[in-house]
Amino acid sequence: MFRKTFMRFTVIAAMTLLLAACGGNKVVVSSSPDAQFYRSSTVDFKSFESALIILEEVSTNNNQGVDDVKAASSQSLETWLRQSGLFKKVALTEADASGKTLVIKAKVSVNWGSRAARALVGMGAGSARIYIKYNAYEKGSSQLIAKMDAQDAMTGMGGQAWGGSAKELVYAGTEKWNKVFVNNILKGM
């Protein structure tokens, strides 16, 4: 009797956690610059000839792996922008940008968390987090025309062996949020 009740409780608890975890992934793009996801309703992003990525700030909680975070976030965003079909050119330096240019100023921060806590304790202990903030402007202007302020976490609940590698979070998080930025915000899908 106890075992049957315990199993039902476990299944209900797991389903509740799963639903709670999945419920926060809806992306709503707003026309308000104060929103988490913003797109100016007066700008045609197809009118830009090039996009310029500027990594303003990349940091980690222990200053380790900064170059990995820079590379993963920059390469992923560059790939998504190129594949979008919106721009003839995607540049990493101002000298390489030409024509009407969309400037994307990026800030990426990673807290590696504790792999041991994720593996041994689970239930959110030692979670790794990535924070991604993009502000987009037309070159030569200070008026914000698009924005994304997103974050993701890796807890010990995803079934990762030994708490999972937080570097996986960086790769998965940048891919996920760069796709959202390009498709949902810039392209308006």
Side-chain angles (χ1 to χ4, degrees):
M1 175 78 170
F2 173 75
R3 183 180 173 110
K4 197 174 195 181
T5 303
F6 179 75
M7 289 302 291
R8 284 184 185 157
F9 173 76
T10 304
V11 169
I12 291 170
M15 289 176 61
T16 303
L17 287 172
L18 181 63
L19 289 173
C22 294
N25 290 334
K26 179 106 170 109
V27 173
V28 177
V29 180
S30 173
S31 59
S32 169
D34 297 326
Q36 179 181 5
F37 305 104
Y38 162 68
R39 181 181 204 272
S40 172
S41 58
T42 62
V43 176
D44 178 13
F45 288 92
K46 292 177 184 171
S47 69
F48 289 94
E49 184 177 324
S50 60
L52 171 62
I53 301 169
I54 299 175
L55 291 176
E56 285 189 315
E57 182 182 319
V58 178
S59 63
T60 65
N61 62 310
N62 61 3
N63 294 323
Q64 293 180 357
V66 172
D67 290 337
D68 291 336
V69 175
K70 277 183 186 176
S73 55
S74 177
Q75 289 170 1
S76 172
L77 181 57
E78 182 181 3
T79 299
W80 279 103
L81 290 168
R82 286 187 195 285
Q83 291 175 353
S84 72
L86 289 172
F87 310 101
K88 291 179 184 173
K89 183 182 251 185
V90 177
L92 300 175
T93 66
E94 199 167 331
D96 291 334
S98 60
K100 186 176 177 182
T101 302
L102 178 71
V103 178
I104 302 164
K105 295 184 178 182
K107 293 182 181 182
V108 181
S109 176
V110 174
N111 181 328
W112 299 114
S114 169
R115 187 172 192 166
R118 287 193 301 273
L120 298 174
V121 179
M123 300 300 287
S127 65
R129 295 197 170 276
I130 185 168
Y131 304 90
I132 302 172
K133 183 170 186 163
Y134 295 156
N135 288 327
Y137 308 86
E138 182 174 345
K139 184 178 175 186
S141 173
S142 62
Q143 182 177 352
L144 184 68
I145 57 175
K147 170 183 143 182
M148 180 181 74
D149 194 352
Q151 65 176 308
D152 245 320
M154 171 190 273
T155 64
M157 297 185 65
Q160 305 99 346
W162 298 104
S165 167
K167 286 186 179 183
E168 293 171 19
L169 169 72
V170 171
Y171 299 123
T174 55
E175 277 298 301
K176 171 185 169 181
W177 291 113
N178 288 334
K179 178 181 179 182
V180 166
F181 181 68
V182 171
N183 288 340
N184 296 59
I185 298 172
L186 298 183
K187 290 176 90 175
M189 297 172 78

